[in-house]
Amino acid sequence: MKTHKHLYNKVWDFENLLAASKLAQRGKRREPDVYAFNADLEKKLLRLQEALRSRTWTPGKYRDFYVYEPKKRLVSAAPYEDRVVHHALCRVLEPVWETMFIFDSYACRLGKGTHAAADRYTEFSRKAKYVLKCDISKYFEHVDHGILLEEIGRYVKDDGIAWLVKSILVSNNARPAATAGKGIPIGNLTSQFFANVYLNRFDHWVKEDVRHRFYIRYVDDFVILADDKTVLHETFREIEVKLADIGLTIHPRKRSVFPVSEGCDFMGYRIWPEHRRLRPKTGYHSRRKLVRLATRYREGEIPLDRVKASVAAWIGHVKHADTWGLRKAVFGQLRFAKPSSNFQRLTSNLRIGTGHNGAIVSCGAVVGTTTTTTTGAPTATTTTRTTITTTTGFG
């Protein structure tokens, strides 16, 4: 087992902190705390560097809020300076663990997102008859700090790294919903990385000791596929014992063994061996989000670029399933009205609908904005060609 030493100096290296700040601000450059940090970037980074070097850095206060889709969850947002530290730490530790993670561990890894996991499930479902699907109950809340620190310490022999990881973990204990010595906040980059580290030995146990080839895990969701359902039931009983050793349990209502031909809810899709569809709840929540987007645009809260980016992101997700009819229905009904002005009051509408050959088209008046988004043929896994043309007048 290879161990790594002298990594902490790399964390507070100025070039690493600068790169971390660029990663932390992606998509958030207009936020007040990010803008304030960037206004005096070099001075702020030098001060942060000294605090990390001398180990006097202390995490700031989290901003807690709830999200309700797909279910109610408490999300904790760290201050921007803390997010820079998180990125700096992960930039050093991720390469160490990347070589140790199994291939089919997904989330918070390059090229290992939801679509890659869904594609991998499709591949496996064509090679096996049954699937065991499990969801770990309240995973982030039950991560044991002592076990996590021990796991990191097995491979990284560095007091500085241990101090920084512990500082980040302990900062979670100050939150009202936290249990002392347990829990990592949903929302931190470090939490996503720590979640993979915590279950890394479990992943290897499934693949190498229990010897299941068709195993996929995405954070707290995992599936195992096999031709014999009796074997899967036996494996489940072994899994319960193994997870109990690290303080985790399977959700009592989210465990089942069934034929792959029935379709499996995984990564926001319902996946069959030969096709996939968007889960009904996912489609419903997507419609609601797009309606809210149209409302915010109409009220002048967000610019057109934000609308186009959000719409493109939604298309980028749903195009990985058989959703051609859904896309035509959604964009045939939505109407985006630009904020009124004296000059544009009569020509301020942006409508997204379906045009020739089923193209998704957004049209404005001559003085407004015209956007055309063309998508390809409706297949389960085909790549969608997207073309965006923008003509801006006096608006």
Side-chain angles (χ1 to χ4, degrees):
M1 179 179 65
K2 182 179 179 180
T3 58
H4 300 261
K5 300 179 180 180
H6 311 300
L7 294 181
Y8 188 59
N9 290 357
K10 296 180 180 180
V11 174
W12 55 261
D13 176 78
F14 186 84
E15 294 300 324
N16 185 51
L17 292 176
L18 180 60
S21 70
K22 292 178 180 178
L23 291 172
Q25 67 184 259
R26 285 190 304 189
K28 300 179 174 66
R29 294 185 65 182
R30 295 182 180 180
E31 292 185 0
D33 55 344
V34 180
Y35 184 83
F37 193 93
N38 287 341
D40 199 3
L41 181 61
E42 184 176 2
K43 183 178 178 180
K44 294 286 180 63
L45 288 180
L46 287 172
R47 187 176 65 186
L48 180 59
Q49 180 186 43
E50 176 56 26
L52 290 171
R53 187 196 64 78
S54 62
R55 304 187 192 182
T56 57
W57 175 79
T58 55
K61 185 178 180 180
Y62 286 99
R63 178 174 60 87
D64 291 340
F65 59 94
Y66 285 96
V67 296
Y68 296 89
E69 296 176 7
K71 60 184 178 181
K72 183 179 178 180
R73 292 183 299 175
L74 176 66
V75 177
S76 302
Y80 177 67
E81 182 177 287
D82 289 18
R83 300 202 299 269
V84 173
V85 174
H86 298 168
H87 276 278
L89 176 63
C90 288
R91 276 175 52 83
V92 173
L93 292 186
E94 281 176 354
V96 174
W97 261 270
E98 188 59 35
T99 60
M100 295 187 287
F101 289 147
I102 66 169
F103 181 85
D104 288 311
S105 164
Y106 293 80
C108 199
R109 296 177 65 192
L110 186 63
K112 302 284 187 176
T114 56
H115 301 142
D119 290 344
R120 189 66 163 169
Y121 176 85
T122 297
E123 178 187 343
F124 287 170
S125 69
R126 295 170 180 174
K127 300 176 180 178
K129 296 179 181 178
Y130 297 95
V131 55
L132 165 65
K133 184 177 186 298
C134 296
D135 189 329
I136 298 174
S137 179
K138 298 181 179 179
Y139 176 39
F140 284 83
E141 292 181 25
H142 291 105
V143 170
D144 187 285
H145 296 177
I147 295 175
L148 178 60
L149 286 166
E150 181 182 349
E151 185 65 18
I152 293 174
R154 292 179 69 212
Y155 301 101
V156 176
K157 305 295 185 182
D158 189 309
D159 292 340
I161 293 291
W163 169 81
L164 183 55
V165 170
K166 188 174 182 179
S167 297
I168 294 171
L169 293 176
V170 170
S171 69
N172 183 61
N173 291 341
R175 296 169 54 249
T179 302
K182 286 191 175 183
I184 50 178
I186 298 174
N188 274 5
L189 173 69
T190 50
S191 296
Q192 299 173 50
F193 172 67
F194 292 157
N196 280 337
V197 171
Y198 198 76
L199 283 177
N200 184 46
R201 277 209 270 180
F202 172 78
D203 293 339
H204 282 279
W205 173 77
V206 173
K207 296 284 283 188
E208 297 159 14
D209 294 346
V210 189
R211 303 186 69 82
H212 276 291
R213 293 172 54 205
F214 305 141
Y215 166 73
I216 304 169
R217 181 179 62 81
Y218 190 96
V219 192
D220 57 352
D221 237 352
F222 64 87
V223 292
I224 302 174
L225 295 88
D227 285 329
D228 190 337
K229 61 181 179 182
T230 303
V231 170
L232 292 178
H233 283 293
E234 292 173 353
T235 298
F236 173 73
R237 288 190 286 272
E238 293 181 70
I239 285 173
E240 284 191 302
V241 175
K242 190 69 175 177
L243 289 178
D245 290 341
I246 54 175
L248 301 176
T249 58
I250 301 295
H251 195 293
R253 293 192 302 274
K254 296 181 179 179
R255 56 174 82 173
S256 54
V257 175
F258 52 91
V260 296
S261 58
E262 292 183 1
C264 178
D265 286 344
F266 193 54
M267 300 294 99
Y269 304 104
R270 188 161 185 85
I271 309 176
W272 289 264
E274 302 303 330
H275 69 288
R276 76 179 66 151
R277 294 185 179 178
L278 209 63
R279 291 178 61 194
K281 283 186 178 181
T282 305
Y284 171 73
H285 292 317
S286 297
R287 285 174 182 259
R288 289 182 58 187
K289 286 182 179 180
L290 289 171
V291 169
R292 287 199 296 268
L293 187 73
T295 301
R296 295 185 65 192
Y297 176 67
R298 182 174 63 250
E299 294 176 355
E301 295 182 14
I302 55 175
L304 180 61
D305 287 347
R306 175 84 172 272
V307 173
K308 291 196 291 186
S310 297
V311 170
W314 184 76
I315 293 174
H317 175 65
V318 302
K319 73 180 182 181
H320 287 267
D322 299 326
T323 56
W324 184 249
L326 172 66
R327 282 178 272 168
K328 289 205 296 183
V330 168
F331 290 120
Q333 297 169 1
L334 278 177
R335 186 177 183 86
F336 288 77
K338 293 183 68 174
S340 297
S341 66
N342 291 334
F343 186 70
Q344 294 179 313
R345 189 164 297 159
L346 298 178
T347 58
S348 61
N349 288 336
L350 174 67
R351 182 174 178 77
I352 294 184
T354 52
H356 180 60
N357 294 329
I360 296 171
V361 183
S362 307
C363 304
V366 175
V367 185
T369 303
T370 301
T371 304
T372 303
T373 304
T374 306
T375 56
T379 61
T381 57
T382 188
T383 300
T384 298
R385 177 172 54 86
T386 303
T387 307
I388 298 180
T389 306
T390 304
T391 305
T392 305
F394 295 97

